[in-house]
Each structure stands twice: as C-alpha cells, then as structure tokens.
Amino acid sequence: KPQLVASNNRFCRFLEEYCPVVTETYYPTIWCWEGRVQTLLRPFITSRPQVQYRNELIKTADGGQISLDWFDNNDSLYYPDASTRPTVLLLPGLTGTSKESYILHMIHQSETLGYRCVVFNNRGIAGEDLLTPRTYCAANTEDLEAVVHHVHSLHPSAPFMAAGVSMGGMLLLNYLGKTGRDTPLMAAAIFSAGWNVFESVESLEKPLNWLLFNYYLTTCLQSSISRHRQILEKLFDMDLVMKARTIREFDKRFTSVMFGYPTIDDYYEDASPCRKLKSVGIPVLCLNSVDDVFSPGHAIPVETAKQNANVALVLTSCGGHIGFLEGIWPRKCTYMDRVFKQFVQAMFEHGNKIFSM
C-alpha cells in the first residue's frame, strides 16, 4: 500500500472517499518492478492515445512567445457549455512537450470526464522559434504565471486545476509556493517531482544512473537549444555549453547564467520545491516513488508536508520516475494515470467538501 502523508484529517478523509486509489495496494508490473527499469521502459510500453490539438502562441512581457496546445473537448457530454467546462493545465517534464505519452494519457482521462486540457510547452521546445535569448528553468515562474493568467482570463467561470510532471511539477510547486492562495487554480496534482535539486543531481551522477539517464538527458537539453543557437550565441559560449556531459555542467554553463544566479548552488537552492512547500495555499496531491533516482526517497520532504494542511503526499515503494506501471502488460493505464483521473474528478465535482468533512 502507498504511504499517505497529510496533517489534515479532513483532507485524508476526502481522499479516501473520493480518490480511493491512493489507499489501494499498488501492484507494480512483476517483470519490471525495479525503479530504473520502470523509468526506462514506460515510454516504450505505454500506448500513445490520439489527441488533436489546437495550437496557440501567446506573447510574453519580454518579447518572447509561449506555445500552448489546447484540447478543447467540444464534444463533451457532461459539460457542453464551454464557458464552464473544467480546465486542466498540464506541465510536462524537463524536455517534454504535449506529445509525451504521459501527457496524452492525462488528456485521454480528462476527455472521458468531459474536461478541457491545455498543455504549457516551455519556450523553444515545441517547434516554435525563440524570439529572445531565453528558455526556461524550474525556478523561474514568470512564464507559468503568464499562462495561468491567460487561460483563466479566457474562461473565468470554468473551474481550473493544474498537473505537473517531473520538472513541470517542480515548476508548479515553486509557483504555488510563491503565490500561496493568490491563484485562480483550485488545486494541483504533482507527479515525480524532484524535491531537492542537490540530492537529485547527486543521485543522477552515480555511475550507472549517469550512464542510463544523466548523459542522455544532457544531450536532450543540448539538442533542444541547438536549433536556437543563432540567437543564444549572443549571450552564451555555445561551444562550451555543448561540451557539457552532465545536467550539473549544463546548468552551470547555461541555465544558472541565463537566469542571473551568482552560482549554480544559488540556482539549485531556488529551484528546490521543498523550500517552498510551507507556503502552498491550495490543495495539492503529490505522488512519488521512493525508488525514483531523479528524486531519492530520503529527499522527499515528509516532515515539511505534515506542517501544511493543504498538502498530501502519496509515496509508493516502487514505480520509478513517471513509471508506476501495473498489470502483466501495462500498455494502457498506469497507477499514476488513475491517481490523476480520480483526483481531478474529486476536486472538480466534490472540491467544496474538502475542508468540511
């Protein structure tokens, strides 16, 4: 059974009644139970539901642009009125876009419930041009603030939630820690977030983890900026950036410099959501596996979570990073998908009961 951590008994009772998956025994796929195996195999095993997006480019205050992919769900039977159709904002991981299988599954789950979704693609990675020499990071929430405001302004009467995965979850937590209750979001779901960046990079620099994950992710980051080389060369030594062999080296030479941090430690401190968790002002459900090499179990802020009545942690012993595969042939639905579906439905349909139970 997963461990449910929450200081608020009413929040616990709410989850037990309307999101019972968090109290059910999670049976990981028996032939890939180890965390690294789950992490590596999920993208290849899980299906990719067909989703038709409507793309929107919005301008930012600094002259940049952000690509949003909308799934309007105009055929929704439960919510035919678009003005009040519940909306879920989805934030993919470090180099992820709206095409990631875990995002497609979240949209598929939302479609069956009648909800609308919009995917926030970080700058420069979804095929759009960089108009300014700026990309994104886990600590800077300005682009997310702009997107939340934009989506809410289009549908001010629609219930509004967000879900973030991996770095998208870190960014969402940092935004919620900054805004407190001053957000149009009614709740959020966080999956496989890295809670303490120092611990995450240290784990990823262990020899086997570097070989399996770190080097590949570093090359993905380099690839995501290489096509914008012309505009980025004005501010960065791109040859040096392209020689990075770890995420830490990439962040030291590129990310921390771009966002004006004196040192990489200053950036990692600011990017770590564990330092902002006390300030979260809306209900948040966070799912992590303690065998996730991207977010080691010992770095999950269990004691801090117990100090905020708005926060609930769901911790599984297996599942890896965005894995949570279950069943003999885990092609269609993961434990993470079920947590997402039940929690967003619980909040949209029964959220007013959360602190009255």
Side-chain angles (χ1 to χ4, degrees), residues 45-57:
I45 292 176
T46 52
S47 62
R48 302 180 65 83
Q50 290 295 310
V51 174
Q52 288 292 115
Y53 288 119
R54 171 177 61 86
N55 183 255
E56 179 187 20
L57 292 174

Side-chain angles (χ1 to χ4, degrees), residues 272-345:
S272 298
C274 60
R275 291 168 168 78
K276 317 249 189 9
L277 195 58
K278 288 181 183 178
S279 304
V280 170
I282 61 171
V284 174
L285 182 67
C286 308
L287 174 66
N288 281 88
S289 172
V290 297
D291 69 353
D292 181 352
V293 299
F294 288 76
S295 186
H298 65 267
I300 297 172
V302 172
E303 293 308 313
T304 309
K306 290 177 181 177
Q307 297 171 34
N308 189 334
N310 294 300
V311 176
L313 306 181
V314 178
L315 308 178
T316 61
S317 55
C318 307
H321 187 70
I322 329 175
F324 302 102
L325 301 174
E326 58 184 356
I328 298 300
W329 183 241
R331 180 151 174 78
K332 291 193 174 176
C333 189
T334 68
Y335 180 76
M336 177 178 127
D337 296 330
R338 294 197 293 130
V339 171
F340 168 82
K341 182 177 183 180
Q342 288 190 19
F343 184 64
V344 295
Q345 184 175 22

Side-chain angles (χ1 to χ4, degrees), residues 23 55 60 75 86 97 115 118 139-140 160 189 255-256 272 283 285 298 317 324 351:
T23 64
N55 183 255
T60 60
D75 296 326
T97 68
Y115 307 152
V118 54
N140 189 288
F160 189 19
T255 315
S256 61
S272 298
L285 182 67
H298 65 267
S317 55
F324 302 102

